[in-house]
Amino acid sequence: MNYLRVLVGRWSRRDRLAVLVIALTVALLVGATLLVGAAGDQTSTLAAEYDTNASVAAYDSVDAAQQAAGSGAVVLPMATAVGPDGERYRVVAIPDDSADLSLPPQPEGTVGPGTESAEWRLEGTDDSRTETVEPAGTASPGLLPPTWLRTTPETLEAIGPTEALVVTPANADAGVAKGAPLVGALAFFVEGTDDVLEIVWTGVAAAGVIVAVTLSSVVRMTIRDRAPTIRVIRATGAPPRRVRAALAARAGALAAAGGVLGYAVGVIVTNAAVTVAVVVGLPTTLSVRVTPRIALGILGILAVLTTVGLITGYLAARIATAKPPAHVGRDGQPSSSSKSRSWLPHGTVPLRRRLAPAVLAPRTVVPTTATLSTFAVVVLLVASLGTIGASVSTGEATISEPGAAHPVNSRMPAGYAETLSDDGVAASPEILLFSSYENKPYLARGVDYDSFAEVTDARIVDGEPLETDGEAIIGVELARTLELEPGDELVVGGSTEEALTQVTVVGTYETGGLEDHQLLVSLSTARHLSAVEAGQVNLIRTDATDRAGASEANTTVVDVDAPSHVRPGEMVSVEAAVWNPTDDHVEQEVAATLGDSQASRTVDLEAHERRTVALELDAPAAGEYELAVGGLTQSVTVADAPPLELAALPDTAPTGESLQVRVRDTTGESVDGATVTIDGRTAETDASGTAWLELPPTAATYDVTVHADDREVNESIRVADDVEPGPAADVSLAPNSPSVHTEPTAEVRFANPWNRTVEAPVVIEGPETTHREEVVLESNETTTVTTTLPRRPPGEYSVRVRSAGRTLATTEYEVGGDERLVSALAASGHYQAGGGLGTAIDYAMGNLRVLFGALTGLAAVTVIGATSAVLARAVRARRQTIAIYRATGASSRRILGLVLADAARIGIVAAAAAVALAVGALEALAAAGRLTAFGIALEPWPTAAVALAVFGGGLALTLVAALVATVPLLRASPASLLSSSRARPADRADGLETADRSGESATRSNEPPV
C-alpha cells in the first residue's frame, strides 16, 4: 500500500541525521570490538613463547592432594627440616616416576644445600628424626628451589608429611582448577588483558544507553513529524497494527542503515588511530583486522541494534496509535507564551525561573544525563585503567640493559646498586616476575627489602619484613585481592621459566603507590623463578640520578686491544672501542698513555654510537708498563724478546713423579731450546716447548728455573708424598681489561703433565659465577674450557680454578670506568621513568594509550551525535517559540545565544549528574570485584582533576550538540517555522497534504493519493 511506502521509505533530512547519529554510536561499539580483539590477540602472541598449562597447587594434607590430583598429576609430600644453624627449610619427597615433569631424580638418601654432610632434623606430623643430609652438589634441583631438601617418600612417610604439592603436567587431567601455573608470563598477560578488556566492555555496554535514547528520540520525532500523515491513514481505515508495523519497520531500517554505516566508520577510525600512533612515535604493535571471531561479534551487534530499533519503533508507535486519529501529534505542545519569559520585565522574573531554561524544556536534562553518563563511564574507566601504566612515583627512575626489548629480558649487574648507594643515591636491584594464582594475575618482585624500602618508603603495617628465601611480604591492596594475610602460605610458579616454590607471607606493607598491588620475595627466590642468573637483576630502581656526573661521562672506552709485548722504539698500535651512552651527539678527546709516551684523538659520536678508534704511541725504554686508555688499563712489556712463562705448571706434585714442563713466551709462542732446572735436575725443551723432568724424591718446595738466551723465569712447586696427580691449569681473560659493558670470557686451558691418565672435577669460580665440569685427560693431552662472566661495576675481581679442594690457577682483573658511568647509563636512553610495571604492560599490550585514546575519542563523538538528537527534538519542539522570536526581530545570534544558554544550564546539571552516576556505577563494579586488572584493584573514585575534566567535557559536548541541533533551524524563515507547526515539511514531502505533490506522487505510482 502507498502509505506503507511513505511511512517506511520516505526519509527526511532529519532521518538521515538520525542514521548518522546511530552510525556514530555503532562506530564506538565496532571500534571497541576491533581494538579489544586486537589487544587480546596481540597479548596471546607476545606471551605464546611462555605457553604452558602445567600448574602447581598446595594442600594441607597428602590425602587432600591425592583426592584433588587428576590423572597424570604428581603428588609431592612435604615436611619441615631444621638445619645445623637452626634455620627451618622445606623437605620434599621425590616420587619414583616423574618423567613428565622437570623434577630432580629421586635421591638415594636425603640431599640438600651446603657443601658438606651434616645432621638435620626432619619434623613431621607423627614424629621427628635426625637424618644425615648430603650436599646436592652439581645435581640440578629442577622445578624445586635449591634450598629445599629432597628425600624419598619412605622417609617422609615415617615422620608424617605436613602438607603436599600437586604438580599437574600440561597434558594431564587438571582435576581441580587451583594454584599457580609453572610458567606465569602467559597467564599474567592473558588473564590481565582479559580483565582490562572486560572493564572496557563494561564501558562500551553503556553505549547501549545511547542507542536506546537515540532511537527513542528519532522515532518520537518521526511520529510527531508524520502526525498529519498518520491521522489521514487512520481516518481512511488503516488498522493501528499496520501503522505500528510500518513505523517499527522504519525505526528498524534506520537502525540497520546506521549500523552498516557505523561499521565502516568504526573500521576507518580504529585503523586511523593506530596509524596516527605509529606516525607520532607511540610504541604500539596493535594490528586492527576483522577476524572471524570479531566478525561474528560485529554481526551480533548489528542484529541486536536492528532488534532494538524495531522494538523501540513499535512501542513508540503503539503509544501514538492508541489514541483517536484526531489526537495524534496534538499533545505535549505548550504554547510559546507559556514557556517564554523574555517579554516580562527583568525584575519580575523569580530567581528559580531565571535559572530555568528559556527555550528548551527542563525535562531535556534526563535524556542528556543518560547520554553524558555513557561518556563519563568510559572516560573514568580509561582514567582508572591508565593507572596501570603510570609510574609509581614521579621522582623515580630505573636503569635497565641497553637494547633490551622487554624489562624481563634485561640483565644488569646487581652491583650497580652498590655503586649508586656508595655515591649516596638510594638504589634497589629488582627482578620482575609475572605470576598468577587461581586465575588472578599479579606482579611479583625479587628485592632486597631494605633497599626497596629506602627507594619507595615502604613500611610494614602488619607482621614482619622479608628476611629469608622462604618468606614473602605482600602489598596491602594485593592482600585484599588474593585474600591473604600474614601466616598464610602461597604457592608461586615460575615467571618465564618452569619453576615452583612455596612462600610464607610474613607481613603486609604499604607504599601508597602501585607497589601495594605486588608481592615481594627475596632476590635468590626470584632468580629461581626466572631466567636471571646469580649476580644479575632485571633493573635497578633509584629515587634520584646524578645527572651532573652523567654529563661529565659523555663517552666511555669499553674495550682496548693492544700487543702485550713490543720492542723498544717500535710503534705501539692500540685500538679502543669508544661508546656514547647519552642521547646527544658528543665530541670528545680519547687519550692513551704508555710510560712517557702519549697519543690522543678527537672522536665524534652520535647518540648511543659505538666506534673503534686507532691510536699509535712510541714504545718507551725496556720495562713493564701500564697502557691506559680512558678508564681501562693493560700491561705491556717493552723488551727485545717476549718474556718467558711456564704454562700450566701445577702448584703441588707427588714425589718422584715425571713432570712435563711447557715453556712459552707472553705472545703464546713455544720456546725451543730453553733449559729447565729443578733441584739440580735439568732438561731442554723441544720444538713444542716441552721438557720432561723427574721430581725430587724428598718432600719440599723447589724452584723451577727456565733460561733462554738472556731471559729467565722462576716459579715454585711443592712436592709431597700425599699428593695425587691432577690436571694443571692456566686461566686467561678476554678482554683482559673489561669495561662495565663487557661480559668477559674466562678461558681455562687444562693440561695433563703426568705420564698417566688423570680424571678430576674442576670448578671455575668468578664474580657471581660458578662453572663445574668433569675433566678427563690422557698423558700430554690438553683441553680448553670457557665460561662467560657477568658484567660488573667498576672494581677489581678474580677468577679461580679449583679441583679436589686445591687451587689450580688464579687471575686478577679490573673492570674499568668509574661511578659516573653508572649515572650516565641512568641518564641516557636506557633511563626509564616509573617502576617497570607500566613498561611491562606497555610491551605486552602494545600501547594502552592507543586503545584508551581511541575509545575516548569515539565515545566523545558518539555522545555529541546522541546529545544532538536529544537536543534536536527539544529544539524542534520549541520551533514555534523560536519563530516568534525571529518574527519579532530577534537575530539568529540572539536565538543561538538563548539556546546555548539553555544548553549550558541543562549541561551543568546533566554533566554533574553524569559524573555522580558514573562514579556510582564504578563503585558498584568495585564492590562486585569487577574493577581489577593485572592484580591491581582500580580506584573507582576519580581525582578532583579527572572529575573536573569529565564534568567540563560533558558540558562542552552538550554545547556542541546544541549548536549542531540549532543551526539548521536558524537557517529557515520564521514563516516556514510557523507553518511547520501546522504542516511539517516532511509531511509535505510525503505528498499527503499538498495537492500538487499528491497528484505527482499518484501519477508516478499510477495509484490515487491516500
Side-chain angles (χ1 to χ4, degrees):
M1 298 177 66
N2 192 45
Y3 69 82
L4 292 177
R5 178 172 59 84
V6 171
L7 288 181
V8 177
R10 292 289 182 83
W11 291 0
S12 66
R13 181 182 63 183
R14 191 176 302 107
D15 294 322
R16 290 189 289 272
L17 177 62
V19 170
L20 178 60
V21 171
I22 295 172
L24 293 176
T25 305
V26 175
L28 171 61
L29 299 174
V30 171
T33 301
L34 291 172
L35 289 169
V36 165
D41 291 343
Q42 182 208 31
T43 301
S44 297
T45 300
L46 289 173
E49 63 179 294
Y50 305 120
D51 190 8
T52 179
N53 293 323
S55 62
V56 57
Y59 295 88
D60 293 334
S61 68
V62 174
D63 290 340
Q66 290 175 341
Q67 292 176 5
S71 61
V74 176
V75 176
L76 302 177
M78 301 176 66
T80 301
V82 181
D85 55 358
E87 294 291 335
R88 304 179 74 85
Y89 297 83
R90 299 180 192 272
V91 55
V92 58
I94 306 298
D96 293 328
D97 185 12
S98 56
D100 292 338
L101 298 168
S102 300
L103 290 169
Q106 185 183 88
E108 295 182 359
T110 303
V111 299
T115 58
E116 296 181 357
S117 299
E119 297 295 320
W120 292 60
R121 189 173 74 256
L122 305 186
E123 298 178 349
T125 57
D126 301 332
D127 195 6
S128 64
R129 62 189 290 182
T130 300
E131 189 84 4
T132 300
V133 176
E134 300 293 337
T138 59
S140 172
L143 295 176
L144 306 178
T147 56
W148 285 14
L149 277 69
R150 308 193 291 274
T151 189
T152 62
E154 293 77 15
T155 301
L156 281 197
E157 187 176 351
I159 63 172
T162 58
E163 54 190 327
L165 298 179
V166 175
V167 183
T168 305
N171 58 352
D173 179 11
V176 178
K178 187 178 180 181
L182 292 185
V183 178
L186 177 69
F188 174 84
F189 287 114
V190 171
E191 293 168 1
T193 301
D194 288 343
D195 291 341
V196 172
L197 302 188
E198 183 177 338
I199 294 172
V200 170
W201 275 119
T202 301
V204 172
V209 177
I210 295 181
V211 175
V213 172
T214 301
L215 286 174
S216 178
S217 298
V218 168
V219 172
R220 291 187 181 187
M221 282 193 293
T222 297
I223 293 174
R224 185 176 299 280
D225 289 344
R226 297 298 184 275
T229 303
I230 297 173
R231 288 198 295 270
V232 172
I233 293 172
R234 291 287 311 283
T236 55
R241 60 184 178 81
R242 287 185 177 274
V243 177
R244 296 169 189 169
L247 292 175
R250 180 188 186 88
L254 291 175
V260 173
L261 179 60
Y263 166 75
V265 174
V267 172
I268 293 172
V269 170
T270 51
N271 279 282
V274 174
T275 302
V276 169
V278 173
V279 170
V280 300
L282 292 178
T284 178
T285 56
L286 288 176
S287 176
V288 179
R289 56 193 180 91
V290 181
T291 63
R293 180 172 61 88
I294 292 177
L296 186 62
I298 292 175
L299 287 176
I301 291 174
L302 298 181
V304 171
L305 180 68
T306 303
T307 302
V308 170
L310 291 170
I311 295 174
T312 306
Y314 182 84
L315 293 177
R318 188 176 185 277
I319 296 173
T321 55
K323 306 171 184 177
H327 292 172
V328 176
R330 298 190 183 281
D331 58 328
Q333 289 290 332
S335 65
S336 61
S337 61
S338 67
K339 291 294 179 183
S340 175
R341 55 178 169 78
S342 299
W343 315 113
L344 297 174
H346 182 73
T348 64
V349 181
L351 177 62
R352 186 177 66 179
R353 294 191 61 192
R354 292 182 190 175
L355 298 178
V359 178
L360 304 180
R363 64 174 177 269
T364 309
V365 169
V366 176
T368 303
T369 300
T371 57
L372 291 184
S373 295
T374 301
F375 172 76
V377 168
V378 172
V379 174
L380 290 183
L381 281 176
V382 168
S384 296
L385 289 169
T387 61
I388 294 177
S391 60
V392 176
S393 172
T394 55
E396 293 180 4
T398 60
I399 306 173
S400 60
E401 180 183 9
H406 187 292
V408 81
N409 294 332
S410 169
R411 297 293 183 272
M412 296 292 292
Y416 276 11
E418 299 175 7
T419 301
L420 290 171
S421 298
D422 292 343
D423 202 32
V425 177
S428 171
E430 299 178 4
I431 298 174
L432 294 177
L433 300 172
F434 304 121
S435 303
S436 177
Y437 179 71
E438 296 188 354
N439 298 322
K440 295 178 181 178
Y442 65 92
L443 187 77
R445 289 180 188 263
V447 300
D448 174 82
Y449 178 72
D450 291 337
S451 300
F452 175 84
E454 186 177 4
V455 172
T456 63
D457 295 327
R459 55 198 176 278
I460 299 296
V461 296
D462 188 14
E464 302 294 333
L466 170 65
E467 292 182 356
T468 65
D469 290 345
E471 298 177 346
I473 57 174
I474 190 170
V476 292
E477 297 296 337
L478 183 61
R480 296 190 186 100
T481 300
L482 299 184
E483 300 178 351
L484 295 173
E485 60 184 19
D488 290 341
E489 293 189 340
L490 177 67
V491 63
V492 184
S495 178
T496 57
E497 300 285 339
E498 278 196 337
L500 65 86
T501 191
Q502 191 174 22
V503 294
T504 301
V505 177
V506 297
T508 58
Y509 68 92
E510 185 176 24
T511 65
L514 290 185
E515 286 86 357
D516 292 348
H517 302 266
Q518 299 172 17
L519 181 79
L520 303 184
V521 298
S522 68
L523 285 171
S524 56
T525 297
R527 291 189 178 104
H528 166 66
L529 297 174
S530 67
V532 179
E533 297 179 354
Q536 302 286 302
V537 293
N538 290 139
L539 53 88
I540 296 174
R541 189 205 310 244
T542 66
D543 62 357
T545 302
D546 185 3
R547 297 301 182 98
S551 63
E552 296 175 10
N554 287 331
T555 62
T556 179
V557 177
V558 296
D559 196 9
V560 174
D561 184 17
S564 60
H565 164 263
V566 293
R567 293 182 174 83
E570 285 186 344
M571 297 298 296
V572 182
S573 296
V574 179
E575 290 186 346
V578 187
W579 177 59
N580 172 19
T582 71
D583 289 325
D584 303 319
H585 170 270
V586 297
E587 179 179 331
Q588 192 160 319
E589 185 178 73
V590 178
T593 302
L594 183 66
D596 295 333
S597 181
Q598 296 182 348
S600 63
R601 179 176 173 180
T602 301
V603 58
D604 290 328
L605 295 175
E606 299 298 330
H608 310 296
E609 182 183 1
R610 174 171 172 158
R611 186 187 306 171
T612 299
V613 178
L615 299 168
E616 289 193 345
L617 303 90
D618 292 326
E624 296 285 338
Y625 298 92
E626 288 288 333
L627 171 67
V629 184
L632 302 184
T633 60
Q634 178 177 325
S635 297
V636 176
T637 301
V638 181
D640 291 329
L644 300 176
E645 62 180 21
L646 285 167
L649 182 70
D651 293 333
T652 59
T655 56
E657 191 74 27
S658 294
L659 172 69
Q660 186 183 57
V661 180
R662 299 175 183 269
V663 181
R664 64 187 182 191
D665 59 30
T666 54
T667 65
E669 293 292 330
S670 299
V671 178
D672 184 14
T675 301
V676 183
T677 304
I678 300 178
D679 190 33
R681 295 174 173 83
T682 62
E684 190 172 295
T685 60
D686 56 19
S688 63
T690 62
W692 286 90
L693 282 172
E694 185 176 345
L695 295 176
T698 304
T701 299
Y702 298 92
D703 289 332
V704 180
T705 304
V706 179
H707 293 276
D709 303 326
D710 56 351
R711 295 172 292 172
E712 180 179 321
V713 63
N714 287 280
E715 289 194 23
S716 62
I717 185 172
R718 185 176 68 87
V719 178
D721 296 329
D722 57 349
V723 175
E724 289 293 329
D730 272 338
V731 57
S732 61
L733 212 65
N736 56 12
S737 297
S739 72
V740 294
H741 246 328
T742 305
E743 291 183 326
T745 298
E747 182 177 285
V748 182
R749 182 175 179 270
F750 292 98
N752 179 6
W754 315 106
N755 56 3
R756 69 179 74 177
T757 301
V758 297
E759 178 178 354
V762 296
V763 180
I764 305 173
E765 296 177 344
E768 304 293 345
T769 301
T770 301
H771 177 87
R772 290 181 169 87
E773 193 163 325
E774 192 79 15
V775 174
V776 180
L777 297 173
E778 300 295 332
S779 177
N780 200 30
E781 186 181 2
T782 63
T783 188
T784 300
V785 177
T786 61
T787 186
T788 301
L789 305 178
R791 288 187 296 269
R792 301 296 297 163
E796 295 183 355
Y797 304 92
S798 64
V799 178
R800 183 172 59 170
V801 182
R802 296 189 304 111
S803 177
R806 295 184 294 124
T807 299
L808 303 183
T810 60
T811 187
E812 306 290 331
Y813 72 96
E814 181 178 2
V815 176
D818 55 27
E819 291 80 359
R820 297 181 304 165
L821 181 56
V822 177
S823 298
L825 291 174
S828 71
H830 318 308
Y831 164 88
Q832 299 172 359
L837 175 60
T839 307
I841 297 176
D842 240 17
Y843 279 109
M845 297 182 60
N847 194 314
L848 290 177
R849 286 178 295 175
V850 178
L851 172 63
F852 299 155
L855 289 180
T856 302
L858 284 169
V861 175
T862 300
V863 169
I864 290 175
T867 310
S868 297
V870 171
L871 295 180
R873 180 169 176 263
V875 171
R876 186 160 181 76
R878 296 294 180 264
R879 61 191 174 283
Q880 205 170 26
T881 302
I882 294 174
I884 293 174
Y885 280 149
R886 293 283 308 279
T888 54
S891 64
S892 297
R893 173 180 287 183
R894 170 64 175 160
I895 301 300
L896 182 60
L898 286 173
V899 174
L900 290 180
D902 284 357
R905 295 184 180 95
I906 291 172
I908 290 174
V909 177
V915 172
L917 288 174
V919 172
L922 296 188
E923 277 282 6
L925 289 173
R930 311 302 295 177
L931 209 59
T932 299
F934 291 98
I936 298 175
L938 304 182
E939 176 57 52
W941 281 89
T943 62
V946 172
L948 185 61
V950 174
F951 172 81
L955 178 59
L957 293 178
T958 304
L959 294 175
V960 172
L963 184 66
V964 172
T966 307
V967 168
L969 283 180
L970 297 180
R971 294 178 178 175
S973 64
S976 64
L977 292 176
L978 287 171
S979 63
S980 67
S981 65
R982 297 183 296 274
R984 291 165 179 76
D987 295 332
R988 293 197 299 270
D990 288 339
L992 296 176
E993 294 206 358
T994 304
D996 56 343
R997 297 297 299 275
S998 297
E1000 178 184 349
S1001 177
T1003 300
R1004 290 196 303 268
S1005 62
N1006 294 320
E1007 296 178 4
V1010 177

